[in-house]
Amino acid sequence: MRSFNMSQKGRKKSPIFSIFGARNHDGSNPDRHESLRLCESVRAFFKIALPYWKTRASIPGWIQFIGILVFTAATIVLAKMFNDWYKEFWDNVQSYNMDGFYGGLCLFLFLATLHVCNVVYKSYVISALSIRWRKWLTSYYTHRYLNESTYYRLQLTEQKTDNPDQRIAEDLNSFVTLTIGIIVRLITSSAMLVTFAIILWGLSERVENVSVAGYTFSLPDGYLFYLALIYAVCGTLITFIIGKPLALLHFRQQRFEADYRYSLIRLRENSEAVALYKGESEEKERLTGYFGDVVKNYIYLINRTKALEFFTFGCDQLAVIFPILVASPLYFAKMITIGSLMQINSAFGQVYNSLSVIMSLFPELATWKAVIDRLALFEKSMDRALQLPKPQVVYEGNDLELDKLSITKPDGTPLIDDLSLVLRAGDRLLIKGPSGVGKSTLLRAVAGIWPYSKGKVRLPEGKKVLFLSQKPYMPMGTLAQTICYPSPVSDDDGYLEKLLSGVGLEYLVPNLNTEDQWSMVLSLGEQQRIAFLRAVINRPDVIFMDEVTSAMDEPNEFKLYEMLKNELKESIIISVGHRSTLEKQHNRILDFSDDSKRKNQINC
């Protein structure tokens, strides 16, 4: 979880000016977690892309991909037909052939219609494949993110992945869209290159002793192809030099945008606390700082993009007239017709566009690499989270048992040593002690989500377990869904009305079927009362409760615990709390007030 408690003045500035590998004052590389080497990005691409295409679910995707190849082939054929049309049409114009002129217009309309249909249907199939692939990837990554509490364990590792929600919601979409678009462009360009290189070679046969403006020169076979090749290669190399920083800039732009968006979400989620603290000026300063990172990096991004576009667009414009300048001496020497000149111009343009595809795609390639790098870091973070030790939590027998359970902080600092206890049906255990001794961490270890623990935890086999936290989770949905979570909504509205009235929340009955952000609407005390109702509805056999009455008055606390004892007589209840009044509600107490007790086996 990202922390926003640091003031803007103390917040470490992101090294957005270190575009070319600058280092921090301590000598460390500020970019070490921001962008991968090209070879690493290539390996990461295949790791992300291949899983879908190896599954049975990809069969429709393969059919759609084959369809894209068919439409691409049609694009090549139509481009070849247009190239032939140029020669014939302009030769008819030069010879004043009206019938040929009108026939050429009719042929153009026919070819243009085919071209429009081909482009539209190709775009449609690409979009259909994109959403199919994205749907599978989203499901795959969502499963990995939620499996074995990875979303929680990510917070316990070195956080090289910021905003994992953005990785799933946005980066997967960008990855699919860019991957399909770039691959289709590369396939199309390769096919165009082969087709029109042959045509261009045939149009540039060896020429001897051409005289233009008093100069005589000769041209070798394929001279137009060689010129297109040299022109494209030089342009691509210069484009790479100018555009190299774009991948890192795109990577940072996404991160800064996500940081700014997340800070706004945090402000909305904690709006009441900020208002009570009168922290508007501090929040404004913080938001201004985060948005400042967005603006500064974006200025670098658009300036670098501007320089790249000046060069690439300039090359593209020069490429329009370049083949005509080269072939015009042959035309003025009456060695070729104007139709041949137009055909040369068209073929040269196709060959140049195919050879310079990297140059034209460079901005997209930079964005694509940034997306791959972010997803690769997300992959590594999830793998690292899964490699954390897994507590031994087994489901067997009828009792809850802790067998020599030891718990530490992530840095290895001991919290609890060799704790052993057994709880049977109907037992109610209160865990108390000063803050920081590991009471809540003990519950996390028993739940199986705290990796820094040793020993064995046995939970009753086939029994339902429910954990209630100090700030209950209020899911999006109706009030009835919130109360019954994680079970389906009860069909008996009268039952829910009775429960609400029993805890003093009868005024919420008219809102049972109303959707709202209940975490914002209800006070913490009201949310905690709903958490108790949730326990009654779900009827768990084991209930873990962490400071669940901290926002209640003592009469309400007494009423709710009595309700649990009456409704769930056979359930094991484990509570963490500080109030002395809680001792009356439990028949067993585990007191961590004396530090020596944590260093020996404890039998309650």
Side-chain angles (χ1 to χ4, degrees):
M1 184 68 68
R2 186 177 301 279
S3 174
F4 289 91
N5 293 327
M6 192 179 297
S7 68
Q8 178 62 25
K9 294 178 181 178
R11 189 167 64 88
K12 183 179 178 181
K13 296 292 185 180
S14 299
I16 62 175
F17 303 107
S18 309
I19 304 301
F20 297 102
R23 307 184 77 82
N24 289 331
H25 295 301
D26 61 358
S28 62
N29 186 354
D31 303 334
R32 67 187 186 281
H33 300 326
E34 293 190 341
S35 187
L36 304 178
R37 294 193 300 271
L38 182 59
C39 59
E40 293 178 310
S41 297
V42 172
R43 287 196 297 269
F45 164 74
F46 286 108
K47 184 177 180 180
I48 297 166
L50 287 182
Y52 168 70
W53 298 99
K54 294 179 179 179
T55 63
R56 293 176 63 87
S58 68
I59 293 176
W62 279 110
I63 294 173
Q64 290 172 329
F65 183 71
I66 292 171
I68 293 171
L69 295 181
V70 171
F71 285 118
T72 300
T75 301
I76 307 302
V77 172
L78 287 170
K80 172 67 169 59
M81 295 175 71
F82 273 115
N83 185 262
D84 295 337
W85 176 87
Y86 275 113
K87 175 175 173 52
E88 185 176 349
F89 181 78
W90 287 105
D91 282 344
N92 287 327
V93 171
Q94 186 177 25
S95 60
Y96 301 99
N97 182 352
M98 290 295 294
D99 292 337
F101 176 79
Y102 288 120
L105 289 179
C106 292
L107 178 60
F108 176 82
L109 291 175
F110 175 71
L111 293 176
T113 301
L114 291 179
H115 176 67
V116 169
C117 293
N118 183 67
V119 169
V120 171
Y121 279 106
K122 180 180 178 182
S123 176
Y124 173 80
V125 176
I126 287 175
S127 298
L129 175 58
S130 297
I131 193 63
R132 183 181 299 278
W133 191 8
R134 181 190 176 188
K135 180 181 177 182
W136 187 92
L137 277 176
T138 300
S139 176
Y140 175 69
Y141 274 87
T142 300
H143 172 74
R144 291 186 59 191
Y145 185 55
L146 297 177
N147 188 41
E148 298 189 37
S149 302
T150 303
Y151 59 92
Y152 173 80
R153 295 162 73 90
L154 276 174
Q155 303 174 77
L156 305 176
T157 63
E158 182 183 357
Q159 295 185 37
K160 297 181 181 180
T161 298
D162 50 62
N163 307 292
D165 52 300
Q166 185 192 38
R167 304 289 177 263
I168 296 174
E170 295 182 18
D171 286 342
L172 287 178
N173 180 37
S174 299
F175 174 79
V176 168
T177 303
L178 289 169
T179 298
I180 294 177
I182 289 171
I183 289 177
V184 170
R185 283 280 299 277
L186 291 175
I187 292 173
T188 304
S189 297
S190 300
M192 284 282 193
L193 177 61
V194 173
T195 302
F196 284 93
I198 296 172
I199 295 174
L200 193 61
W201 190 281
L203 292 172
S204 51
E205 296 179 350
R206 183 179 181 84
V207 178
E208 299 285 352
N209 301 322
V210 180
S211 296
V212 177
Y215 294 94
T216 301
F217 57 90
S218 298
L219 298 170
D221 287 330
Y223 62 91
L224 289 172
F225 175 77
Y226 292 134
L227 288 172
L229 179 62
I230 294 171
Y231 190 85
V233 169
C234 292
T236 300
L237 289 175
I238 298 174
T239 298
F240 181 78
I241 294 172
I242 297 174
K244 183 179 178 181
L246 284 177
L248 179 57
L249 288 168
H250 278 292
F251 185 100
R252 289 174 172 172
Q253 190 66 27
Q254 287 292 326
R255 192 188 74 195
F256 293 145
E257 293 278 6
D259 287 347
Y260 178 61
R261 182 170 58 250
Y262 185 75
S263 64
L264 288 170
I265 293 173
R266 289 284 293 166
L267 175 60
R268 184 187 66 185
E269 291 177 343
N270 299 278
S271 56
E272 181 179 349
V274 173
L276 291 173
Y277 276 116
K278 302 297 182 184
E280 290 82 1
S281 59
E282 175 70 13
E283 292 300 323
K284 180 179 179 181
E285 185 178 2
R286 195 188 319 277
L287 290 173
T288 300
Y290 278 109
F291 190 67
D293 287 345
V294 173
V295 172
K296 291 173 185 177
N297 191 77
Y298 190 70
I299 291 173
Y300 271 86
L301 181 61
I302 61 176
N303 284 336
R304 182 60 60 168
T305 302
K306 178 185 69 175
L308 182 63
E309 289 179 345
F310 263 123
F311 179 76
T312 55
F313 289 161
C315 286
D316 290 344
Q317 292 303 308
L318 183 58
V320 174
I321 197 69
F322 185 76
I324 295 178
L325 292 175
V326 173
S328 58
L330 303 180
Y331 173 74
F332 288 113
K334 299 182 180 180
M335 299 178 67
I336 60 173
T337 65
I338 191 172
S340 297
L341 185 63
M342 293 297 102
Q343 189 180 26
I344 288 172
N345 186 52
S346 174
F348 184 94
Q350 293 288 4
V351 171
Y352 165 74
N353 289 335
S354 300
L355 288 170
S356 63
V357 64
I358 301 299
M359 183 169 67
S360 61
L361 278 174
F362 202 91
E364 294 173 66
L365 289 170
T367 304
W368 189 42
K369 184 182 183 301
V371 169
I372 292 172
D373 289 352
R374 288 195 298 272
L375 289 174
L377 291 176
F378 185 38
E379 284 257 1
K380 290 180 180 179
S381 294
M382 288 196 293
D383 291 341
R384 203 160 31 245
L386 290 174
Q387 289 170 4
L388 290 174
K390 294 180 176 61
Q392 285 186 284
V393 179
V394 297
Y395 291 84
E396 58 185 23
N398 298 314
D399 303 328
L400 186 154
E401 183 179 352
L402 306 184
D403 185 10
K404 295 184 178 180
L405 182 64
S406 297
I407 301 173
T408 68
K409 294 180 180 180
D411 61 5
T413 303
L415 288 174
I416 298 173
D417 291 333
D418 292 338
L419 174 63
S420 296
L421 61 86
V422 178
L423 297 175
R424 295 180 172 82
D427 278 344
R428 300 181 302 280
L429 172 69
L430 173 64
I431 303 174
K432 58 183 296 187
S435 299
V437 298
K439 302 187 301 297
S440 297
T441 307
L442 173 59
L443 296 189
R444 299 188 187 104
V446 175
I449 64 173
W450 187 256
Y452 307 103
S453 59
K454 296 179 181 179
K456 182 173 287 187
V457 176
R458 293 185 180 90
L459 295 176
E461 184 177 6
K463 303 297 185 180
K464 185 184 292 186
V465 179
L466 183 67
F467 288 81
L468 303 180
S469 61
Q470 183 176 10
K471 182 172 175 54
Y473 174 56
M474 298 283 114
M476 298 291 291
T478 65
L479 180 60
Q481 291 173 326
T482 301
I483 295 172
C484 296
Y485 183 85
S487 296
V489 176
S490 172
D491 295 330
D492 186 359
D493 287 343
Y495 179 59
L496 294 181
E497 293 175 7
K498 179 181 176 181
L499 288 177
L500 286 172
S501 299
V503 296
L505 297 177
E506 58 275 357
Y507 59 90
L508 292 176
V509 169
N511 299 318
L512 277 172
N513 296 314
T514 302
E515 290 192 16
D516 211 331
Q517 297 185 38
W518 297 108
S519 61
M520 305 288 291
V521 174
L522 302 175
S523 69
L524 180 57
E526 291 169 328
Q527 293 178 43
Q528 290 180 347
R529 279 183 273 177
I530 283 179
F532 272 84
L533 298 184
R534 191 176 290 169
V536 172
I537 292 171
N538 285 275
R539 309 198 71 80
D541 299 283
V542 181
I543 312 174
F544 295 91
M545 301 192 294
D546 186 9
E547 300 277 5
V548 293
T549 59
S550 60
M552 295 184 199
D553 55 77
E554 293 182 3
N556 267 316
E557 177 186 82
F558 177 82
K559 181 195 301 184
L560 289 169
Y561 266 99
E562 288 295 316
M563 180 181 67
L564 279 189
K565 285 195 291 185
N566 294 330
E567 294 284 342
L568 306 173
K569 295 179 180 179
E570 296 301 315
S571 296
I572 297 173
I573 298 175
I574 302 176
S575 302
V576 171
H578 294 92
R579 289 180 181 173
S580 59
T581 53
L582 289 173
E583 296 182 11
K584 300 177 182 178
Q585 303 296 335
H586 300 79
N587 64 339
R588 305 181 69 177
I589 298 175
L590 179 60
D591 193 347
F592 286 118
S593 298
D594 184 359
D595 185 69
S596 63
K597 291 183 180 180
R598 300 199 303 275
K599 297 180 180 178
N600 301 291
Q601 181 172 339
I602 300 177
N603 294 293
C604 301

